[in-house]
Amino acid sequence: MLNDLEKKRYSRQIRLFGEDGQAKLKKAGAFIAGAGGLGSVISIYMAAAGFGKIRIVDCDSVELSNLNRQVLHWSDDVGRSKARSAKDTLEGINPEIEVEALEETISKENIDQLLSGCSLIMDAMDNFSTRYILNKAALQKKIPLFHGAICGYQGQATTVIPGKTACLRCTFPRAPPVTTFPALGSTCGVIGSIQVTEAVKYVLGFGGLLENRLMLWDGLSCSMDEVACMRNPGCQDCSALIGDANYKQEMSK
Amino acid sequence: MLVKVMAFASFREILGRERELELKAGSTVGDLLDVLASTNRRFKEAAFEEPGQLREWVLLMINKKRIDPFQDLGAELHEGDEIAILPPVAGG
Ligand SMILES: [Zn+2]
């Protein structure tokens, strides 16, 4: 499954979860929605860890004001498409994996096609209207959605497992307004790293996930809290797409 | 009766991490929010659309159970209840 170079490259991880575990990562395809602050951290760590296929999508070009946090893109990349810049950086980090970078705006119309062949959705968006599209797609395809969001020193993360946990809409029924949010790169580092750790555990099938738990990070006081999330029976997204009865079955198992 | 209010994210900068509040017996979640708003102008501006109307995206939980800011503000509180209040963050 792994060639000699891969065995060497991933040797410190193989100490953690064995060649079998590494082979599971190699087989996994991750869809990363956004190549901004969170998308940078998520894609860099997923590429380095050896997720076999990464598809990263962003419609923007690199701006100078992105560089404080979007570590995928460097000063020379200003003006280039984020997708192309992301592809160069990720392939430079790990040529053993397959990187697809698409210059697209995620929509209800194209999400199915964008997700084809991917079994993990990494939320690196900057708005809830697109997050709700990712949530519905995760429910429809029954694949996990690893949610993360940041603002300034603060961040949040939770893991949505369709058929098992509250969905993103259960936890956040209504979107906060779109604003030009303040952003610190290291906050993206904290939250994006949590999302990748969740995806690694999910693929390997061990550890405790952020299931029905919303983790809240406050960098200003350096504290982490969590609040419980609960499925909303009658939720407009997961009730419609999976059905309340299926959740009851899951819970009584 | 004494209840505990826990604030998160930007609401924590305004309200502090947690505080105990003495309320009249029979007070509701809505009453609690009114007390917080009338004693803290920054909270009122951050959490309310207009007087008495919470911003629709504010997340509220009583004893870790989420409640709907549109439907459940009349829910009665009890001694020792823990109320969590937070705004979602949305950036990436
Ligand atoms: Zn739901």
Side-chain angles (χ1 to χ4, degrees), chain B residues 2 4 8 16 18 21 23-24 31 37 43 48 60 74 79:
Chain B
L2 216 49
K4 188 153 97 178
F8 300 93
E18 63 177 59
L21 268 185
L23 295 174
K24 276 188 297 193
D31 296 334
F43 175 71
F48 285 85
L60 275 172
E79 174 78 30

Side-chain angles (χ1 to χ4, degrees), chain A residues 135 139 165-171 230-239 247:
Chain A
N135 184 53
L139 293 166
T165 68
C167 80
L168 206 63
R169 180 80 75 172
C170 293
T171 306
M230 249 189 234
R231 252 205 92 235
N232 168 21
C235 163
Q236 67 181 91
D237 285 1
C238 61
S239 296
Y247 281 95

Side-chain angles (χ1 to χ4, degrees), chain B residues 55-69:
Chain B
R55 295 193 191 275
E56 61 175 11
W57 40 262
V58 170
L59 301 182
L60 275 172
M61 298 184 206
I62 303 180
N63 302 326
K64 303 198 165 176
K65 200 177 161 198
R66 232 182 63 76
I67 63 165
D68 188 323

Side-chain angles (χ1 to χ4, degrees), chain A residues 124-140:
Chain A
M125 289 316 304
D126 59 0
N127 68 84
F128 264 86
S129 45
T130 313
R131 284 190 174 99
Y132 291 139
I133 296 175
L134 300 178
N135 184 53
K136 275 193 175 174
L139 293 166
Q140 250 153 7

Side-chain angles (χ1 to χ4, degrees), chain A residues 107-157:
Chain A
S107 69
K108 271 188 287 197
E109 286 70 35
N110 67 9
I111 186 66
D112 266 7
Q113 208 192 333
L114 290 176
L115 281 173
S116 73
C118 294
S119 53
L120 311 161
I121 305 179
M122 309 303 296
D123 169 11
M125 289 316 304
D126 59 0
N127 68 84
F128 264 86
S129 45
T130 313
R131 284 190 174 99
Y132 291 139
I133 296 175
L134 300 178
N135 184 53
K136 275 193 175 174
L139 293 166
Q140 250 153 7
K141 293 181 181 293
K142 296 204 167 64
I143 58 176
L145 167 65
F146 301 92
H147 163 71
I150 62 108
C151 181
Y153 300 101
Q154 270 119 15
Q156 68 196 22

Side-chain angles (χ1 to χ4, degrees), chain A residues 11-51:
Chain A
S11 58
R12 295 297 182 97
Q13 285 173 204
I14 289 170
R15 281 167 184 261
L16 271 180
F17 39 70
E19 288 185 20
D20 288 356
Q22 191 63 50
K24 284 183 189 168
L25 293 186
K26 188 176 175 176
K27 266 193 265 172
F31 176 81
I32 305 177
L38 285 175
S40 287
V41 175
I42 292 169
S43 63
I44 284 173
Y45 278 120
M46 286 188 122
F51 282 78

